[in-house]
Each structure stands twice: as structure tokens, then as C-alpha cells.
Amino acid sequence: MKPRQLLMIRFLVGMSIIVLMSAMWGCADKPSRTSSQDPSATKIQIPGPTAQTAARVETLETKAITLMQSGELEAALHAYNQALALNPETPQKNRIMNGIDQVLAEMPSDLIQTFIETPDPAVPEPLLQYWLGVILAQETKYAKAVDVLTRFMDLWPDHPRVPEAQEWVAWIRQDRFKKDTIGCLLPLSGKYAIYGQKALKGIHLAIQDLAEAHNRKFNIVVKDTQGDPGIAAACVDELDQANVAGIIGPLLAADEAGARAQELKIPLIALTQKQDFALSGEYLFSNFITPGMQVQTLAAYVFRTLGLEKVAILYPDEPYGRRYMKLFSQAAAEYGADVVGMQTYDGKSNDFTEPVRKLIKRLSQPSDSSGSVILEFEALFIPDSASRINMILPQLAFHDARGMVLLGTNLWHHPSLLDQTKRYNQNTIITDGYFEHSQKPATVRFTQRFSNLYGESPGLLEAIFYDTTRILISTAMDPLVNSRQDLKDALLEERIFEGATGRTLFNSNGTARKELFLITIKNDRFVELDR
């Protein structure tokens, strides 16, 4: 029997008692489970009851019953509170506590909260907190209800209402959890709609693959955020009402949606480059390639696998370039390598002659017999877009800077780098979160499935949303996962997920650790590097 059904039975029985009490006073006590045996029930100590006190209590009881029958619940509760404060004898006290139960069962949560905040109420606080949690649940304010009931059980573990509170919490968590249904926040209209549509293709493919694997139907509830933070947060409420197990997204404006998901205790995996996003709440996760991931992947290969010790950095004097410069410098120091020189350039300029000349002049020795300068660095890191790299690489060659390893971010992974710099793109190493020509089994399978379904090649967005959907649903389908809390805990167990974007696991703080792809150029083609 569900908590709601138990509550209704209790209410009907209690109302019958009140009707009988209004006709005659007797020993009409309710079963011990609904009568208060809490030692804290008597908060105001008054010397032994007298006949006058008993008469006063009876008058207050009659007043409370009349007020309750007329729907004046707040006034009825205050009348009962006054009666209880007079420290009545046991029969009267039991009747009062029964009456208080019936009033609280009908009161809105905001009125109960207001009464709790009154100075020194005689009604026991545990009873007030219990009913506050129950009413919040009935008002479908489930996250707050669980918080209040959990706090009630933690503070008063021996209270007779604890078993009922446990039933309510278990019912809320299970009834509000559809493990075959997930929510999704995407910008499907507005200036970012193209990215939302790409992501949606990956999600739909994942749903199809999961349905085949589990031989059952899965549901995705998609909400259009329009790229607006406020709309995204409101969509979280709508997904909560749809009883989704968890949420994928948003792709943009994640903070507001994340804050709301944390408040409602819904696991949410945002596709954001902000590494600290997940630190904002235990129900928040992030799964995307970040600058830190890219730099660490490059550094591990260059300094540990290749054994290089001296590097230089050429970067645009703008936020993107400065961020990567700092991260790469820190990574080099961690591996004991030296950044022997750095040179900035104007990110808005199309002429890179002067910054390249300055870098080479400062970090080179006179030409050797072959006519090339002798460089003092073995690798050059340039965090910029392919369009600018296509102009920078010829300048390096013009100044006889050859032979060093060229290091780039995922922005280098663009077809123009193959077409426009054929003679200058040798010894290139770049990193990315997805490589469609990878021979990893999970990547091959995804790429083929996507191409067959949509008639086009997938990119990073399609791949990472595909993986994220599979991660969330496959975790929810675990037989031990029966609530949003279980889902959150399971995601934090550092399980390794094999997917189109490689291996992914979530740290204990909810941030993703991903195995990024390393790519080089051979025969005018991007080729995956073995590690």
C-alpha cells in the first residue's frame, strides 16, 4: 500500500474520531502509531492540572474542532497548540495530538512552515517536520519533501513516525524515476539551432542502438532551450514533472540549468568545457573535451612518449591563446621539460611575419651546411584555428624553421589544413575528442551506423551526444539503480564507458576523464597515432 493510501485511511479514521469527540468526550484514543508518545511533546511545564485547567483545555479542543470543520486550519492549529501548552492529563493530551494530526494532514506546507517559525510552539517539532515533509510530497514538491523527511529521520531516528517517513522517501524516489526515460536540453531554435540538430542526431541513434541491445523501448523528452539560460532552467522543471531518470545537456548556458537540476536532485550531464561545472553540485556532471584534457594528452605524448625536452609556444594574444599557453607551460613543467621561448601575435591580424621572425631569431643559431637554421626547441605549440595555421606554417618555412614537431589543438583538425599547407604540415601532432577514421571498434561501429542512417559523416557533437546518451541510459538500466540518487551514485563509481569518443569515466566530483585521440598527417590525410 502506498503512503498516500495509508494517509487517506488514517485521515478518515481520524475524522470519525473528531466527530465522536464533538458529541461526547471519552477515551477515543487513536492507535499508538498515530498518537504522539514523543517526550518533547510537553514544551511548557505547568504545575499539575486542576479542574479549571481541564475545563480550559476542553474549551480549546471544542474551539479547534469547530475551526477545523469550518476550514480555518491555521486558527485550529493555534487553538490546539494553546490546549497542549496547558499540559493536560493523558486522555486529553491524546485527543489533542489526534486533532493536531488531522489539522496538519490538511494544511498547506507554507502554513506549516509559518507555524514552525512561531516562537516556542508547544506542538513537538518532530511532528511538525514530519507533516511538513508529507505535505510537500502531496504538493509534488518532491525534492524539498525528501530533504525535510531525511532531516527528520536523521535528527529523530527513534521517533515512531520514522518508518512512515522511510516509506514516503522510498516511494518518492522510485515513483519519480523512470529508468527508460531521459530528458534532453538542446538549442533547437535560434542562432545555435544547427548545433542542437547535430546533437539530436547522435541522441536518436543512441536510443535506437540501446533499444536493440535491451530489446525494449526507451524514451527521450527533448526540450528546446533556444540557447537561453532562463528557458533552460525552466525546462529542467518540465523534465522533472515528466519523471525523467536524468538529463543530457544543455550544450550552452549550463550554469542556470545545472543549479535547478541540483535543487531538484536530478542527475544532469552537461556538455560543457567548464571543468569546474560539476563541482557546483553532487548531481551535476560534465562530459566534453576541455583545454586541460587536450594539453595533457599532447604533453604526455610529446614529453613522455617522444622524450622531447625543449618546446616553444606561439600563441594569439586573446583569451583562447592565453589559456592554452598557460596550460601547456604548466604541463611542460610537470614533465620536467623546458619552455625555452614564447611569442604572441595579434589574433585579428592576417600578417604573422613579424612574430614568427622574432621567435625564430631569438631561438635559433646560425644556419648549418644545409641552409636551415639550428633551432633551440624541438616542438612548437600553436593554439589557434586552422585558418590562421594555414598562414603561419608558410611563414615558419620562409624563415627556415623546419624539422620541429608542430603541436595543435582540435581546431587544427580541419580539411583546409590538408589542402592549403601540403608542403608545411609535416611532423604535426594534434588532438581531438573524435576521429571518424579511427580503428577503435566502438568508433568504427558508430561511424558506420551514423553514416548508414543519415547519409553523412558524423562529427564531435554527434559522437559525444551519442556516447552521453548511452552512458546515462545504460547506467540507469543497472538492476541496482532504482532512483535518481542511485543513478547519481552509480555514475560516480568511476565506471569506464567505451564509446565512439574513446574511454570515458567520471571522477568522484563529476568531471569526465576522457581518452582523446592523437592525430598526425601522412600522405595528405589525417591519421591516428598509436600510443
Side-chain angles (χ1 to χ4, degrees):
M1 188 175 293
K2 291 184 178 180
R4 285 181 174 176
Q5 295 171 314
L6 292 172
L7 190 62
M8 181 57 68
I9 292 172
R10 182 179 298 111
F11 174 72
L12 293 174
V13 171
M15 287 302 296
S16 299
I17 292 172
I18 285 180
V19 171
L20 290 173
M21 285 196 301
S22 65
M24 62 178 181
W25 297 110
C27 227
D29 298 343
K30 290 186 74 175
S32 60
R33 185 175 182 121
T34 56
S35 60
S36 176
Q37 304 297 327
D38 192 339
S40 65
T42 304
K43 290 195 172 183
I44 300 177
Q45 299 295 332
I46 295 178
T50 64
Q52 184 178 4
T53 300
R56 175 62 177 157
V57 169
E58 184 173 328
T59 300
L60 288 168
E61 286 184 87
T62 302
K63 178 181 179 182
I65 292 171
T66 302
L67 289 168
M68 182 180 176
Q69 290 175 340
S70 63
E72 299 179 62
L73 300 175
E74 190 172 12
L77 183 58
H78 279 283
Y80 274 129
N81 187 69
Q82 289 177 341
L84 192 62
L86 293 173
N87 193 23
E89 292 182 341
T90 298
Q92 285 181 305
K93 180 179 178 181
N94 287 343
R95 288 200 307 267
I96 293 168
M97 295 305 298
N98 287 332
I100 290 171
D101 266 333
Q102 305 313 314
V103 173
L104 291 173
E106 290 292 295
M107 284 185 74
S109 63
D110 59 337
L111 293 184
I112 298 177
Q113 184 63 56
T114 298
F115 184 83
I116 290 173
E117 296 168 359
T118 59
D120 196 25
V123 179
E125 183 183 358
L127 188 66
L128 292 169
Q129 293 291 344
Y130 166 78
W131 278 110
L132 176 61
V134 170
I135 299 303
L136 284 168
Q138 291 181 322
E139 294 172 348
T140 70
K141 299 173 182 177
Y142 297 112
K144 291 182 179 179
V146 170
D147 283 343
V148 171
L149 291 171
T150 300
R151 179 176 177 275
F152 162 76
M153 292 185 288
D154 289 343
L155 291 178
W156 299 283
D158 298 325
H159 194 279
R161 293 290 175 84
V162 165
E164 298 170 37
Q166 291 172 335
E167 292 177 13
W168 273 103
V169 171
W171 176 79
I172 291 170
R173 286 176 172 167
Q174 293 180 14
D175 192 67
R176 298 286 294 163
F177 182 75
K178 294 182 179 178
K179 62 168 53 193
D180 59 358
T181 303
I182 62 170
C184 183
L185 301 172
L186 289 175
L188 298 177
S189 61
K191 62 180 179 180
Y192 301 111
I194 184 174
Y195 303 111
Q197 295 297 337
K198 285 177 175 289
L200 198 57
K201 290 180 178 179
I203 292 170
H204 283 316
L205 178 57
I207 294 294
Q208 288 188 24
D209 288 353
L210 287 163
E212 292 179 7
H214 292 272
N215 193 29
R216 63 179 295 172
K217 181 181 178 180
F218 292 97
N219 304 305
I220 177 78
V221 182
V222 181
K223 296 294 179 179
D224 180 11
T225 67
Q226 303 175 39
D228 182 277
I231 294 176
C235 288
V236 173
D237 285 286
E238 296 175 17
L239 293 175
D240 178 49
Q241 293 301 313
N243 297 341
V244 299
I247 298 173
I248 297 172
L251 180 60
L252 302 163
D255 290 344
E256 290 80 359
R260 188 60 183 145
Q262 175 61 32
E263 185 178 352
L264 294 172
K265 291 182 168 44
I266 310 174
L268 179 147
I269 306 179
L271 284 294
T272 175
Q273 292 190 26
K274 295 177 62 175
Q275 290 179 288
D276 59 348
F277 169 80
L279 299 177
S280 299
E282 60 179 342
Y283 280 81
L284 305 184
F285 300 80
S286 60
N287 184 31
F288 208 72
I289 63 170
T290 65
M293 288 181 193
Q294 295 196 59
V295 166
Q296 285 297 326
T297 301
L298 284 172
Y301 187 78
V302 171
F303 302 128
R304 185 172 61 197
T305 303
L306 299 184
L308 304 187
E309 298 178 349
K310 295 182 179 182
V311 296
I313 305 175
L314 179 64
Y315 66 97
D317 190 13
E318 55 190 17
Y320 182 90
R322 291 192 294 270
R323 184 179 187 187
Y324 273 93
M325 176 274 292
K326 291 178 182 178
L327 288 171
F328 194 82
S329 298
Q330 293 169 358
E334 291 172 4
Y335 282 94
D338 293 328
V339 178
V340 296
M342 292 188 287
Q343 178 64 52
T344 64
Y345 57 84
D346 184 355
K348 298 179 181 179
S349 174
N350 291 326
D351 185 0
F352 303 98
T353 302
E354 189 60 20
V356 169
R357 186 189 67 79
K358 287 182 179 179
L359 179 71
I360 301 305
K361 182 178 180 180
R362 189 168 66 250
L363 299 176
S364 66
Q365 298 177 13
S367 302
D368 58 17
S369 58
S370 66
S372 298
V373 297
I374 301 174
L375 301 175
E376 295 180 0
F377 55 92
E378 302 161 291
L380 177 61
F381 178 52
I382 314 176
D384 209 338
S385 64
S387 61
R388 290 177 184 165
I389 298 303
N390 289 333
M391 292 182 281
I392 292 174
L393 295 188
Q395 285 293 328
L396 290 171
F398 178 80
H399 288 85
D400 292 326
R402 305 174 186 274
M404 71 284 193
V405 177
L406 297 169
L407 306 176
T409 68
N410 66 314
L411 297 185
W412 287 40
H413 191 192
H414 191 275
S416 65
L417 193 68
L418 303 177
D419 301 331
Q420 299 180 29
T421 58
K422 289 185 177 181
R423 293 180 296 168
Y424 312 115
N425 58 21
Q426 303 304 306
N427 297 325
T428 295
I429 299 175
I430 61 179
T431 185
D432 206 343
Y434 169 71
F435 182 50
E436 65 175 301
H437 300 298
S438 172
Q439 295 306 303
K440 294 179 180 179
T443 309
V444 171
R445 184 167 55 252
F446 162 75
T447 304
Q448 290 176 344
R449 290 272 294 156
F450 189 96
S451 299
N452 291 339
L453 181 62
Y454 297 110
E456 62 187 52
S457 296
L460 174 60
L461 270 182
E462 295 92 327
I464 203 163
F465 270 90
Y466 173 88
D467 280 354
T468 305
T469 303
R470 290 181 61 90
I471 288 172
L472 190 59
I473 291 182
S474 62
T475 306
M477 291 304 296
D478 187 315
L480 298 179
V481 174
N482 295 299
S483 68
R484 289 170 174 173
Q485 181 178 346
D486 291 344
L487 177 57
K488 177 261 297 182
D489 292 340
L491 289 170
L492 291 173
E493 289 177 353
E494 297 195 358
R495 306 181 182 197
I496 297 177
F497 302 96
E498 295 278 357
T501 59
R503 290 184 174 182
T504 301
L505 65 82
F506 294 103
N507 288 334
S508 58
N509 61 15
T511 59
R513 287 170 52 193
K514 301 185 70 66
E515 184 183 76
L516 301 188
F517 296 84
L518 280 170
I519 304 167
T520 189
I521 297 175
K522 291 183 179 179
N523 299 322
D524 298 326
R525 294 180 60 224
F526 288 117
V527 178
E528 185 176 8
L529 279 170
D530 294 327
R531 284 186 279 182

